[in-house]
Amino acid sequence: MDPWIKVNVDAAQLGAKASLALIARDHRGEVTGVWGQCQSINSPLQAEAVALQWAVEIAIREKWQLVMIESDAKAHT
């Protein structure tokens, strides 16, 4: 079986600021990296999208071949 990386992304917004967090685990469930940052963001949906884009950028930088990115974003109607 080829090794893969799963990246969980999350974002929390308060006013015009959002906290973004990523955690990467390998195919055995062992943590391989943790990242966090704050950004100026307009909406919760935008915050989740920025976090997903950031996860892709990290996957490219780390040269991961098999990657699964998971978010818990929910649409509120």
Side-chain angles (χ1 to χ4, degrees), residues 3-9 22-35 64 66-68 70:
W4 50 267
I5 300 290
K6 178 180 178 187
V7 183
N8 289 90
V9 304
L22 311 176
I23 184 167
R25 293 183 175 90
D26 66 14
H27 61 285
R28 293 180 300 272
E30 296 179 18
V31 174
T32 61
V34 177
W35 301 265
W64 295 331
L66 300 171
V67 182
M68 177 190 322
E70 184 176 71

Side-chain angles (χ1 to χ4, degrees), residues 8-71:
N8 289 90
V9 304
D10 202 4
Q13 183 181 13
L14 181 61
K17 293 284 187 179
S19 297
L20 311 177
L22 311 176
I23 184 167
R25 293 183 175 90
D26 66 14
H27 61 285
R28 293 180 300 272
E30 296 179 18
V31 174
T32 61
V34 177
W35 301 265
Q37 65 173 283
C38 291
Q39 287 198 11
S40 296
I41 301 284
N42 294 324
S43 72
L45 183 58
Q46 182 186 16
E48 289 286 343
V50 170
L52 288 167
Q53 180 181 6
W54 186 29
V56 171
E57 291 168 359
I58 288 173
I60 291 168
R61 184 185 71 215
E62 297 293 325
K63 297 183 171 105
W64 295 331
Q65 297 296 310
L66 300 171
V67 182
M68 177 190 322
I69 300 173
E70 184 176 71
S71 171

